[in-house]
């Protein structure tokens, strides 16, 4: 693969360009490497050389780098440019990327820049900025092709030749009426082979898929994934086309949402990456561990309730983590299936509540089989059949607790419009630990005379 | 949203079509609804009516349904069609989808069908079938446009008009030399605005990205995601273009890989869905729970080692789950970050081993702060400062165990070319439970005289 870049070489080369104020070298570097690779090298360097390097580049290359970069980089680099320079750079960037960047500037600076831009551009930017960053309006592309339905194929092709270079999507053309309302979609293939005098209104296909600009990005992601769409129009309340979301836009959304889910399950903030700063990682992970300390004390205090029982039969202290550990893991199985189904938009509390019976059934059979195994081992080891029976019963009951909570926690959070993944694993183990200890030690206390 | 379909209505409508042998109704149903929605309704119905319905449809609609369907559906439906019928249906389907379907037929039937097909088609299919289903060759699209570099723009546009309707991708054209070797890529926008007599070789851009057909699909997914590509050519060892992977193909891959990761972490097989059959779910989850039973006994036997200590100071039995539970959750934080980074292709053992020092540092500070909190509570509650000191020390040590194993388990599995997510959470908690009990009870045993 040609793209296996030796990052260290690139850093050395950029440093030399900066040291020698080698403007030509900077320009040729941008044609030799992909912007993403250059950005990864810049990310390892100090602020000053990075800013000097960026200032040496033509606006088009600055735009290319900014379009591919991430939050920290934007915050680091933008102060190096004047408002006038930024406005020039923006002419080479997609509006959605410009809007992202404007979000990182101070309110004063953002307003100033928007005031000095062409009003056609600033109107679009103000519109994008009015939507939530994770809504369909916040991620849509505004560089699409929309043609009026009363054009002929010849007129459309001429128009296309003119506007195609400025757009991001070309293989699907939106067709609108005179009031910009979406009427349908034409595949460029069909336009290329159609007769010159055909009207677009006789050519377009009905396209029943669209989202509203205020809808959450997950809605667009689920629709594009389910129906395998290339583009999804984004419309206003009055059905006017505002932009489109493409399958490429959705890759970024899916990537982000899934990573968030996996991290959130374990109580990690989605902003943390494997190479985050030490203190950032600490700030991110510590709060959930504090929550966890309280839940751990809850479980411990349940054990404390039964200290007289444990004092009498010390074998219980060795056996009890089996009940809680197994419960936690079996609950996590349920949890992860429910979470991935919710993320795909396949599952909801109202329509799938009956599936809780399946989880209870699985808990009964898994709990009975594994509880029987564990019970027999304990009964033999401590020569006491009652200890085995208690383990067997506790395991079944705690598996039911695990199945029900693993099923309900994410669905209830989702129903309450909260992220179903956030720390769900921590909440689940709180339940399985607390209930597991209570059930096992409670049963042992009731049947204590049989255990001595 | 127009696509909020009432599934039950659709089922009733299909059933009526089948009962009345209403061929026209079947055809108009396919133009009224998206194939995906029809498939979801068919999925709820019995085999016989589904097969009857499918046999009533024109080949083109059968092809549309098969292209969008899933494994179970293919297995259910294909026996209803003769080989000749299938060959006709295949002419409306993308080769990659035909290859998927052939994979579900018996070897005899597959060979027979391939023998009766046009050899141009069966050659492509045999090639796709020769690659692993999860390799780049297994997921690539063979319906792409490749043009020879010595064509003029006029010749290219004429050719395009002719072949575009049969291809899946049109906005990017691959340019090859006379031996089908990839030379570059032309954006259709550039072709549309170029002079008629320009040669393609003067027009194409260098395109440094490609994958080999044998590469794993994750390689394509990482490259497309990282460099935000629209298409990625798939080449043979001699650099001949065999197909392309599009950003839409990759959405399916990402969806699949991430879901697999979340499920695998908790010891659930990726084939399970929230509405899988009861016995299928059982078969899927039980084996990992059996593994877990052994690891739970391992932890229990560590506790058993120290039963004399617990017998002396019963408070230890209440305090010990705090050490293990906290360790498990802090290890899971590390684990989930490392797993998502590996999945994105950002992290590998060799190049990022030094980051283990950060995890150890985080373990020290988190363990010290939370251990101090827990230690003070215990010291006050049981009026014994030594119990507090033991909790404090055990917490720090077990957090280090958690950080190191949460870091190493997925990276070592990845290094050994195994799926880093498989049951990693179960392995992690085995370590944190076993070590947590050993450290805490071991320290308590050493300092037992101080605790009484």
């Amino acid at each position: 693969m040609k793209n296996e870049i030796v990052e260290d070489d690139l850093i050395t080369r950029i440093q030399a360009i900066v040291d020698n104020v080698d403007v030509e070298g900077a320009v040729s570097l941008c044609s030799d490497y992909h912007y993403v690779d250059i950005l990864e090298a810049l990310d390892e360097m100090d602020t000053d050389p990075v800013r000097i390097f960026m200032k040496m580049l033509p606006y088009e290359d600055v735009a290319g780098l900014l379009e591919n970069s991430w939050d920290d980089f934007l915050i680091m680099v933008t102060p190096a440019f004047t408002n006038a320079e930024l406005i020039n750079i923006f002419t080479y960037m997609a509006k959605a990327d410009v809007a992202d960047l404007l979000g990182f500037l101070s309110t004063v600076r953002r307003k100033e820049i928007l005031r000095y831009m062409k009003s056609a551009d600033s109107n679009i930017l103000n519109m994008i900025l009015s939507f939530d960053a994770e809504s369909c309006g916040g991620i849509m592309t505004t560089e699409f092709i929309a043609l009026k339905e009363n054009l002929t194929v010849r007129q459309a092709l001429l128009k296309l030749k003119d506007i195609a270079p400025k757009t991001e999507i070309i293989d699907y053309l939106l067709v609108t009426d005179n009031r910009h309302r979406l009427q349908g979609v034409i595949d460029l293939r069909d336009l290329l082979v159609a007769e010159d005098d055909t009207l677009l209104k006789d050519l377009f296909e009905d396209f029943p898929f669209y989202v509203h600009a205020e809808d959450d990005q997950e809605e667009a992601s689920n629709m594009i994934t389910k129906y395998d769409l290339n583009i999804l129009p984004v419309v206003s309340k009055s059905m006017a086309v505002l932009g489109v979301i493409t399958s490429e836009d959705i890759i970024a959304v899916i990537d982000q949402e899934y990573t968030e889910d996996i991290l959130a399950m374990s109580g990690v903030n989605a902003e943390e990456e494997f190479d985050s700063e030490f203190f950032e990682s600490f700030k991110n992970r510590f709060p959930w561990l504090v929550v966890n300390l309280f839940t751990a004390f809850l479980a411990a205090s349940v054990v404390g309730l039964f200290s007289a029982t444990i004092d009498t039969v010390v074998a219980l202290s060795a056996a009890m983590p089996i009940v809680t550990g197994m419960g936690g893991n079996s609950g996590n199985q349920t949890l992860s299936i429910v979470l991935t189904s919710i993320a795909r938009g396949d599952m909801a509390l109202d329509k799938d509540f009956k599936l809780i019976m399946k989880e209870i059934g699985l808990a009964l059979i898994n709990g009975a089989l594994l509880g029987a195994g564990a019970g027999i081992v304990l009964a033999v080891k401590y020569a006491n059949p009652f200890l085995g029976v208690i383990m067997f019963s506790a395991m079944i009951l705690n598996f039911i607790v695990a199945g029900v909570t693993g099923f309900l926690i994410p669905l209830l959070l989702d129903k309450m419009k909260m992220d179903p993944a956030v720390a769900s694993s921590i909440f689940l183990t709180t339940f399985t630990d607390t209930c597991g200890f209570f059930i096992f030690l409670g049963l042992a206390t009731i049947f204590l005379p049989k255990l001595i």
Side-chain angles (χ1 to χ4, degrees), chain A:
Chain A
M1 233 74 23
K2 279 204 219 167
N3 71 316
E4 277 172 14
I5 306 285
V6 187
E7 194 176 282
D8 292 343
D9 286 358
L10 205 47
I11 295 176
T12 320
R13 207 170 139 184
I14 295 174
Q15 192 62 58
I17 287 171
V18 171
D19 292 343
N20 306 323
V21 203
D22 174 9
V23 176
E24 255 174 65
V27 176
S28 76
L29 188 88
C30 286
S31 68
D32 290 356
Y33 293 93
H34 193 285
Y35 292 131
V36 172
D37 294 317
I38 299 176
L39 282 164
E40 289 196 341
L42 292 174
D43 198 37
E44 302 290 313
M45 299 175 63
D46 292 329
T47 305
D48 283 341
V50 170
R51 288 186 178 171
I52 295 172
F53 175 77
M54 294 292 287
K55 295 282 289 184
M56 288 162 68
L57 295 175
Y59 292 146
E60 191 168 354
D61 285 322
V62 177
L65 285 167
L66 294 181
E67 278 193 327
N68 285 285
S69 70
W70 42 86
D71 305 357
D72 295 349
F73 189 81
L74 293 176
I75 293 167
M76 175 169 89
V77 159
T78 43
F81 293 96
T82 65
N83 289 350
E85 283 171 329
L86 282 182
I87 291 174
N88 270 308
I89 292 164
F90 290 166
T91 59
Y92 295 99
M93 290 170 68
K95 294 285 181 300
D97 294 320
V98 175
D100 280 350
L101 194 154
L102 288 175
F104 291 106
L105 301 181
S106 67
T107 322
V108 177
R109 198 167 177 199
R110 189 189 322 150
K111 283 190 177 160
E112 227 170 78
I113 290 178
L114 285 168
R115 198 165 54 231
Y116 288 117
M117 285 176 106
K118 277 193 294 180
S119 67
D121 289 344
S122 61
N123 287 344
I124 296 178
L125 286 170
N126 276 319
M127 176 190 72
I128 299 177
L129 285 167
S130 72
F131 300 114
D132 186 277
E134 301 202 347
S135 72
C136 291
I139 61 164
M140 70 185 178
T141 300
T142 53
E143 287 77 14
F144 61 96
I145 302 178
L147 300 169
K148 297 263 155 58
E149 59 183 348
N150 48 12
L151 290 183
T152 63
V153 168
R154 186 186 303 112
Q155 289 169 317
L157 281 172
L158 275 175
K159 206 155 175 185
L160 205 62
K161 229 172 154 141
D162 187 36
I163 56 178
K166 293 176 220 131
T167 63
E168 292 215 348
I169 305 118
I170 174 172
D171 46 347
Y172 290 91
L173 318 168
L174 304 190
V175 181
T176 63
D177 64 11
N178 280 323
R179 293 167 66 189
H180 294 289
R181 288 179 305 199
L182 180 65
Q183 298 299 306
V185 169
I186 294 186
D187 188 328
L188 182 57
R189 294 169 191 68
D190 296 331
L191 196 69
L192 284 176
V193 299
E195 294 297 324
D196 276 356
D197 294 323
T198 318
L199 288 178
L200 294 193
K201 72 168 79 173
D202 300 322
L203 207 59
F204 68 75
E205 279 170 62
D206 221 32
F207 195 78
F209 305 104
Y210 55 84
V211 283
H212 287 284
E214 297 79 17
D215 293 340
D216 191 272
Q217 60 179 5
E218 254 190 288
E219 199 139 334
S221 149
N222 288 335
M223 212 180 286
I224 287 186
T225 309
K226 178 173 177 185
Y227 294 104
D228 208 2
L229 306 176
N230 301 281
I231 56 161
L232 182 61
V234 180
V235 299
S236 70
K237 289 204 181 71
S238 62
M239 290 296 292
V241 182
L242 303 177
V244 297
I245 295 174
T246 67
S247 51
E248 290 144 80
D249 297 332
I250 284 307
I251 287 181
V253 174
I254 295 180
D255 196 52
Q256 182 192 348
E257 302 268 341
Y258 271 101
T259 305
E260 272 177 28
D261 281 354
I262 295 185
L263 295 180
M265 270 173 80
S266 318
V268 181
N269 195 305
E271 268 116 61
E272 184 173 344
E273 305 227 1
F274 71 104
D275 54 358
S276 292
E277 297 289 321
F278 184 84
F279 188 65
E280 201 183 318
S281 294
F282 171 71
K283 266 198 313 193
N284 177 14
R285 300 192 207 173
F286 187 68
W288 278 117
L289 290 174
V290 172
V291 172
N292 189 215
L293 186 61
F294 283 95
T295 66
F297 265 101
L298 190 68
S301 66
V302 170
V303 179
L305 284 181
F306 298 98
S307 56
T309 307
I310 296 175
D311 212 5
T312 316
V313 188
V314 77
L316 296 173
S317 66
M320 66 189 189
I322 298 176
V323 178
T324 55
M326 295 292 298
N329 279 306
S330 108
N332 257 320
Q333 291 185 326
T334 306
L335 181 68
S336 58
I337 291 208
V338 174
L339 273 179
T340 50
S341 304
I342 294 175
R344 290 168 162 212
D346 284 347
M347 200 173 176
L349 188 60
D350 315 306
K351 101 181 142 72
D352 296 305
F353 183 74
K354 57 184 188 294
L355 285 172
I356 201 172
M357 294 312 299
K358 182 179 126 186
E359 290 305 322
I360 293 174
L362 282 170
L364 279 173
I365 184 167
N366 279 328
L369 287 170
L370 297 159
I376 290 168
V377 172
L378 287 187
V380 170
K381 183 165 179 200
Y382 296 99
N384 186 330
F386 286 101
L387 187 57
V389 173
I390 288 172
M391 169 57 81
F392 173 74
S393 321
M395 200 86 118
I396 294 179
L397 291 173
N398 203 33
F399 267 57
I400 293 177
V401 169
V404 170
T405 49
F407 183 86
L408 285 182
I409 288 174
L411 285 170
L412 282 173
L413 286 172
D414 182 52
K415 175 88 185 166
M416 295 186 295
K417 307 274 176 215
M418 292 163 71
D419 182 347
V422 168
S424 50
S425 190
I426 291 178
F427 291 127
L428 173 80
T429 50
T430 303
F431 267 92
T432 50
D433 281 359
T434 314
C435 296
F437 286 135
F438 187 83
I439 293 166
F440 181 70
L441 295 174
L443 287 174
T445 306
I446 295 170
F447 298 101
L448 195 56
K450 307 275 189 190
L451 293 176
I452 303 169

